[in-house]
Amino acid sequence: MKFSTILALYASAKILPAMAWPGMKNIMAELEHKLAARQDEVGDGDGTDVEDSDELIGDLVTVGAVTDVAQQIQGVITGSIDGFSSEAYTTTVPAKKSAACAADTCCIWSYIAADMKKKFSGSSGRCNGFARAAVRMGFHDAGAWSKTSTNGGADGSLILAGEISRAENNGLQDIVSWTTSLYSKYKTYGVGMADMIQMAATVATVVCPLGPRIRSYVGRIDNSAPAPDGLLPDVNADAETLIQLFADKTIKTHGLTALIGAHSTSQQRFVNTSRAFDPQDSTPGIWDVNFYNQTLQPASAIPKRVFKFNSDVVLSQHPVVATEWNKFVTDQSDWNEDFSREYVRLSLLGVNNINNLIECTKVLPAAKTTYTPPDKAIILKWLAGQFPKLGKFLDSADKLNSTLLKSLGYTP
Ligand code: HEM
């Protein structure tokens, strides 16, 4: 039905109650639903559309937002405050072992974030396999939670309870062992594993060129009890199952559509091992919207090496997801805005002390808002099917050059 027809019917039904007939209640309900859906179509992710996540979580439900930080978080997850920020230290960060550093909760995190930044980028300026794995690790720790869970969520249990042995966490071994060593290096400063995992995800996101600077909080409570099993998505699940799985985590379809864009940076290894390191769009290591466009395209219209996940394809085609998905195709800032808001929510699932958290966004590296690959010509040939052994080297994000190609036996 055309939107103008819906509006006309709705208006006349509201204005002319005297004309009410049996069954009108149902028709009104359907019209209201269609109007809400229409609002959703023009949605801006600000928490007012039916598909925007807006549910409160953790102690925001039980206690309310008492502290300034909790009020800010409530604003972010309900859409009235941006989930990203450019706030940075305005003074020199105190020396690591100084009393001044000990007195500033965020101080030690700026040293941790600096170690992460170094680990997550390569000489090409792109983010590398450790960065991508860190984003996925952040999701797999926090996302192992649902509204009915009594534990799990962003509690560090992915590492502390050995959840790495679960099949769904395959591929996270290297980032888990590196994060464990980083935790050992800094735990005497009182930092927690749950925060370490989520900080790794937000540092990794902004290290990727064009990635947003997501608000980052510390003070979560660690838990070494395993999270409930079976709460992470399956790459072969249908769209309805995936939508319901995320809805049970308080993440509605706009949020899911934004979060899934993390695959923009990805190079899969285990969905199809014969195509290990094949990317999910033609610009792995870059936080751009190519993924949204290329997932919609037929194989003939995208580079041969781009490997689409079935879950991404079915979601992109689902009627409740498609409008938002198409919006992101041409709007990087809209996606970054929505991703940030939704990642803040994700990073706080299962956290029941939101009123005790401290914001440390100021420790994050600066965002890179433009990027030109220095090795584009080589990448284009790889995407077209040449230099098959190159995928693994692209994963390191180091600049690709003719010396490397020759060492692999290729003619540049
Ligand atoms: C429908 C939901 C999702 C499914 C089915 C899914 C599935 C997968 C699979 C199968 C891989 C490839 C792992 C490999 O073979 O190496 C992957 C990679 C990845 N996922 Fe997801 N994912 C989903 C949602 C998310 C979300 C919400 C995030 C983050 C917010 C995320 C972040 C990533 C990242 C960054 C990678 C790349 C890892 C790398 O390159 O090593 N995914 N995902």
Side-chain angles (χ1 to χ4, degrees):
M1 199 185 309
K2 278 172 95 180
F3 181 60
S4 51
T5 318
I6 297 173
L7 261 186
L9 275 172
Y10 184 74
S12 60
K14 279 271 182 202
I15 295 163
L16 302 171
M19 288 172 61
W21 66 89
M24 179 147 175
K25 215 169 142 199
N26 290 345
I27 291 173
M28 287 295 285
E30 197 191 327
L31 290 174
E32 304 242 16
H33 180 79
K34 283 187 194 289
L35 278 173
R38 169 68 190 185
Q39 251 189 312
D40 162 38
E41 274 176 36
V42 293
D44 54 6
D46 65 356
T48 58
D49 306 325
V50 284
E51 298 306 335
D52 283 341
S53 313
D54 55 0
E55 204 169 326
L56 296 183
I57 49 176
D59 50 323
L60 295 179
V61 179
T62 50
V63 179
V66 180
T67 63
D68 288 351
V69 172
Q71 279 165 22
Q72 183 196 70
I73 290 171
Q74 179 157 324
V76 170
I77 67 169
T78 55
S80 60
I81 295 177
D82 285 337
F84 57 90
S85 158
S86 57
E87 190 197 343
Y89 264 102
T90 49
T91 52
T92 311
V93 179
K96 207 190 277 179
K97 291 185 177 156
S98 64
C101 195
D104 166 8
T105 307
C106 297
C107 173
I108 198 63
W109 286 101
S110 63
Y111 289 95
I112 297 170
D115 284 2
M116 290 172 172
K117 181 187 172 193
K118 202 164 154 212
K119 186 74 180 172
F120 292 164
S121 44
S123 59
S124 68
R126 291 182 290 273
C127 58
N128 62 20
F130 278 98
R132 294 190 282 274
V135 175
R136 186 166 169 241
M137 173 174 72
F139 166 45
H140 282 213
D141 190 38
W145 181 87
S146 86
K147 286 194 251 181
T148 54
S149 305
T150 49
N151 69 313
D155 63 358
S157 65
L158 172 56
I159 295 182
L160 298 171
E163 290 163 23
I164 190 63
S165 59
R166 295 179 180 176
E168 61 212 21
N169 291 325
N170 200 12
L172 295 178
Q173 290 84 349
D174 290 349
I175 188 66
V176 159
S177 84
W178 184 76
T179 307
T180 306
S181 63
L182 196 68
Y183 173 71
S184 303
K185 179 175 169 189
Y186 286 103
K187 71 176 174 203
T188 52
Y189 295 92
V191 303
M193 185 65 93
D195 292 337
M196 186 73 81
I197 290 174
Q198 294 309 322
M199 189 64 82
T202 53
V203 170
T205 303
V206 73
V207 163
C208 298
L210 315 190
R213 208 161 170 277
I214 302 168
R215 287 190 190 276
S216 303
Y217 303 92
V218 299
R220 295 170 186 80
I221 296 168
D222 284 350
N223 193 347
S224 50
D229 212 346
L231 294 177
L232 290 170
D234 184 328
V235 74
N236 294 312
D238 60 63
E240 291 289 341
T241 305
L242 293 168
I243 289 170
Q244 189 57 49
L245 184 78
F246 278 79
D248 289 343
K249 303 182 197 306
T250 75
I251 295 171
K252 292 201 201 167
T253 47
H254 280 179
L256 169 57
T257 311
L259 287 174
I260 206 88
H263 292 163
S264 159
T265 62
S266 172
Q267 284 182 261
Q268 73 85 33
R269 281 169 296 156
F270 302 103
V271 180
N272 182 337
T273 48
S274 72
R275 293 187 57 178
F277 297 108
D278 275 3
Q280 279 55 77
D281 73 9
S282 59
T283 47
I286 306 175
W287 196 272
D288 62 11
V289 290
N290 259 348
F291 162 78
Y292 286 104
N293 178 33
Q294 293 182 336
T295 303
L296 296 172
Q297 302 301 327
S300 57
I302 55 175
K304 187 176 165 191
R305 205 170 283 286
V306 171
F307 176 88
K308 298 194 263 184
F309 290 160
N310 192 55
S311 49
D312 293 335
V313 173
V314 293
L315 279 170
S316 71
Q317 293 169 353
H318 190 279
V320 184
V321 172
T323 308
E324 190 77 350
W325 191 287
N326 277 281
K327 220 151 59 86
F328 291 147
V329 167
T330 53
D331 200 338
Q332 173 89 34
S333 29
D334 187 21
W335 173 45
N336 277 3
E337 196 178 298
D338 288 8
F339 186 91
S340 304
R341 172 171 302 139
E342 217 61 31
Y343 196 84
V344 168
R345 171 180 291 276
L346 178 63
S347 74
L348 296 171
L349 296 182
V351 175
N352 292 313
N353 67 331
I354 290 176
N355 278 286
N356 297 336
L357 300 186
I358 290 174
E359 186 186 8
C360 287
T361 311
K362 62 185 176 183
V363 309
L364 296 180
K368 286 183 225 161
T369 52
T370 58
Y371 177 71
T372 309
D375 41 11
K376 192 173 174 184
I378 297 177
I379 295 176
L380 285 176
K381 288 184 181 172
W382 171 72
L383 286 165
Q386 287 188 54
F387 318 139
K389 286 184 266 182
L390 212 57
K392 179 162 109 199
F393 295 88
L394 197 74
D395 186 66
S396 74
D398 281 339
K399 188 176 158 185
L400 307 172
N401 56 34
S402 50
T403 313
L404 172 68
L405 289 180
K406 280 182 202 153
S407 75
L408 295 172
Y410 299 130
T411 309

